Amino acid sequence: MIQVTVFVDTGTNHFAGFHTYGHAEYAEEGYDIICSAVSAIVLTTINSIEELTQTEFLVTQDQQQGEIDFRFKTIPEESAELLLRSMIIGLKGISEEYGMQYLKVNTKEV
């Protein structure tokens, strides 16, 4: 299962980042449409925040574990938050369509 946790800073009520972990195991490697869709959405979000905003962030990844840790360095611009909201909508849509046994999206206050 892929677990996505979106972090919200309780002090500022802004997004602080997100963490993804795991593999969907919907199909064998190379044919897993859920893993592919999640990867495409998450990586497009990161690339869009980098290309379309001035918001600084840190990102680390471990492809073997299916792990990406993304953290804003400062309070994100409104456009960066909009891109993150779009990512959440897309991921929740996948989870609703295919089931929480493959993808679970949570929000955590930090």
Side-chain angles (χ1 to χ4, degrees):
M1 172 181 30
I2 300 170
Q3 295 184 37
V4 179
T5 304
V6 178
F7 302 109
V8 178
D9 185 324
T10 55
T12 64
N13 204 33
H14 288 275
F15 288 119
F18 64 88
H19 182 258
T20 67
Y21 185 81
H23 296 283
E25 298 180 4
Y26 179 77
E28 58 184 88
E29 188 176 337
Y31 297 95
D32 193 324
I33 60 173
I34 295 174
C35 260
S36 295
V38 170
S39 294
I41 290 171
V42 169
L43 293 175
T44 298
T45 299
I46 293 169
N47 291 335
S48 296
I49 291 170
E50 182 175 36
E51 292 288 325
L52 303 173
T53 78
Q54 298 299 311
T55 302
E56 293 184 8
F57 60 87
L58 298 171
V59 64
T60 58
Q61 63 180 345
D62 179 341
Q63 189 173 357
Q64 196 86 12
Q65 298 295 319
E67 184 172 17
I68 296 175
D69 190 62
F70 176 95
R71 305 297 170 121
F72 289 114
K73 286 180 158 182
T74 60
I75 294 174
E77 296 172 26
E78 188 176 321
S79 55
E81 289 204 323
L82 180 63
L83 290 165
L84 199 54
R85 287 185 207 290
S86 178
M87 180 190 82
I88 294 165
I89 290 168
L91 295 176
K92 284 185 175 180
I94 293 169
S95 181
E96 290 169 7
E97 180 72 25
Y98 291 94
M100 288 179 53
Q101 70 268 33
Y102 301 111
L103 173 61
K104 190 172 185 179
V105 181
N106 296 307
T107 302
K108 181 178 181 181
E109 294 180 342
V110 292

